[in-house]
Amino acid sequence: MSRKVLVLAGDGIGPEVMHQVFRVAEWFAKHREMAFDLSNGLIGGAALDAHGVPMTDETLADAVAADAVLLGAVGGPKWDAVDFSLRPEAALLALRQNLAVFANLRPAIVFPALASASTLKTEVIEGLDLMIVRELTGGIYFGQPRGIETLPDGQRRGVNTQVYTTSEIQRVAAVAFELAEKRAKRVCSVEKANVMESGRLWREEVTALHAQRFGHIELTHMYADNCAMQLVRNPKQFDVIVTDNLFGDMLSDEAAMLTGSLGMLPSASLGAADTSGRRRAVYEPVHGSAPDIAGKDMANPIAMLLSFAMMQRYSFGLTDDAELLETAIRNVLAGGMRTSDIMSPGMARVSTSVMGDSIIRELGKLVR
Ligand code: IPM
Ligand code: MG
C-alpha cells in the first residue's frame, strides 16, 4: 500500500507545528516500520510570495496524486490587501473543491487534564466527545451568483448564494450517520429551515436518507442559532452534528473553544470512497496561521499532531498507531506540560519544540 503524503505547511505557525509532524513521522518510520512518503509543497501566502499565486497547478496536481494531504495553516496580515481571488484562503478553498473533500470531520474532545482550561464550568465540558461533520465543498462558500457590483444609482451590492442539492446533502449526511454508528448512534442535523429554503431542503433530505438507510440511528433536527446556544449550555447532549459549510465553520470554532483551546482541534476532510474504499483526504488543524505568535516557538503543535493521527486512522487504517499517538499526547498533558494557549497555574509552560520532544519521548515509553 502506498503512503504518498503531500505536506503543505503554509503560513504563520504552519511550518513550526508541521515540523513536529516530521519528527513524529520519523519516529513512526523508525520504531513502527510505518514510513510515509512525505513531500513538500507551498500553499497560501508562501506560494503567493514565491510564484504569484496561492497554489500552483503543479501543487494541485501533486495533491490530486497523493494518498493524503497534510496542511498547516494559511493567511496573515502581509497578504490582507491582495485581490480576493489571490488571497491565501482562496488556495484552501480551491484545494477542498478540486479534491472534492466534502465531509469535514471536526472532533471536539476534552482531554481530562485540560478540563479546567475551558472557560466553561468543568462539569459542563468534562468527558465531552462530540463530532461536527461540516459540509465543505458547497453552500454559500461556492454558490453562484456571487460578487460585488455597482448599481445604476451608484450604490454597491454584495451577493453570495446559499445553494444545496439532494446529493450534496445526502452524501455528507451519510458520512455523519456512518460515524454515529461507531459512536453513541445519535445525529443532530443543523440548519435554518425556519428561514431558508436551502435549510428546509436540508432537513427533508436528511430525514429521507435516515428513513431509507439509517433508521437505527437517532436523528434530531435543530436550528443553527439554537445549536450555538445549546453548545455552551449543555454540549454533552450531542454525539454527531451534521451541518452546512457556513454554520459548520462557526459552530466548529465554538465547539473547539469548549475544549480549552483552538490549538487542540484537528480535522479531516474526506471525499467519496473509491472502489477500494479509499477516500481523498486533507488533514489540517482547525486553528489558523496565528501570525501574532509565528516564529516564536510558542504555538501548540497538538492540533497538527492530532490531525496526523486522524490521517493514520482514516487514510491508512493505522488505528493502533493513531491511538498510540493520541495516548502519548494525553499522557504528556496529564504530566503537566502546557503550551501558552492552554497554560494554567501550577503547570509547566513549554515551547512548541519541547512539547514535540515530550510527545516523542512518551511514544518511546509507551512501546517499550
Ligand atoms: C476553516 C477556516 C476557513 C474556512 C478559512 C481560512 C477560509 O475558517 O477552515 O474553518 O472558512 O473554511
Ligand atoms: Mg473556520
Side-chain angles (χ1 to χ4, degrees), residues 69-324:
V69 176
L70 269 175
L71 199 135
V74 298
K78 184 175 173 197
W79 305 284
D80 269 352
V82 303
D83 190 75
F84 211 65
S85 63
L86 289 178
R87 284 185 65 89
E89 290 83 355
L92 191 57
L93 299 181
L95 185 71
R96 290 170 178 173
Q97 197 177 35
N98 280 286
L99 294 182
V101 285
F102 60 85
N104 183 211
L105 281 44
R106 297 189 161 185
I109 294 169
V110 171
F111 285 79
L114 289 187
S116 62
S118 174
T119 48
L120 290 165
K121 292 200 182 92
T122 308
E123 61 266 29
V124 174
I125 48 96
E126 216 168 28
L128 177 73
D129 177 356
L130 111 88
M131 175 73 90
I132 295 190
V133 180
R134 168 190 177 193
E135 200 292 325
L136 200 62
T137 53
I140 203 161
Y141 271 60
F142 298 97
Q144 294 290 342
R146 65 184 298 159
I148 300 176
E149 58 183 357
T150 304
L151 299 174
D153 70 356
Q155 285 200 80
R156 295 204 303 154
R157 184 169 177 259
V159 179
N160 290 93
T161 303
Q162 165 82 336
V163 49
Y164 274 108
T165 60
T166 298
S167 59
E168 283 178 313
I169 298 167
Q170 291 207 352
R171 67 183 180 178
V172 73
V175 170
F177 285 127
E178 280 159 13
L179 282 168
E181 268 164 356
K182 297 187 204 113
R183 301 172 45 102
K185 299 191 168 48
R186 288 184 288 119
V187 170
C188 179
S189 170
V190 172
E191 27 57 12
K192 284 281 288 178
N194 51 345
V195 186
M196 300 161 72
E197 282 78 2
S198 59
R200 174 132 172 232
L201 183 77
W202 184 282
R203 187 175 289 217
E204 287 172 6
E205 295 300 345
V206 173
T207 303
L209 179 72
H210 177 252
Q212 259 167 34
R213 287 176 48 199
F214 297 102
H216 52 293
I217 305 288
E218 179 192 310
L219 171 65
T220 53
H221 304 274
M222 200 178 270
Y223 297 141
D225 53 345
N226 184 25
C227 182
M229 185 270 279
Q230 296 294 341
L231 271 174
V232 286
R233 192 186 74 87
N234 176 20
K236 283 188 267 184
Q237 72 186 283
F238 298 108
D239 178 28
V240 176
I241 289 176
V242 63
T243 189
D244 76 14
N245 205 340
L246 184 61
F247 293 143
D249 181 44
M250 298 188 286
L251 294 173
S252 63
D253 263 32
E254 190 188 359
M257 211 50 218
L258 300 174
T259 70
S261 169
L262 214 43
M264 295 296 299
L265 269 263
S267 85
S269 306
L270 307 176
D274 65 14
T275 45
S276 64
R278 293 189 83 171
R279 296 170 182 270
R280 283 257 160 73
V282 179
Y283 299 89
E284 59 181 308
V286 171
H287 64 68
S289 58
D292 52 322
I293 59 163
K296 296 185 179 159
D297 199 23
M298 269 178 76
N300 186 349
I302 292 179
M304 189 73 245
L305 290 171
L306 289 173
S307 300
F308 179 80
M310 286 187 94
M311 180 186 86
Q312 292 176 309
R313 176 177 286 116
Y314 291 108
S315 280
F316 302 114
L318 300 169
T319 313
D320 291 350
D321 284 349
E323 274 167 15
L324 187 64

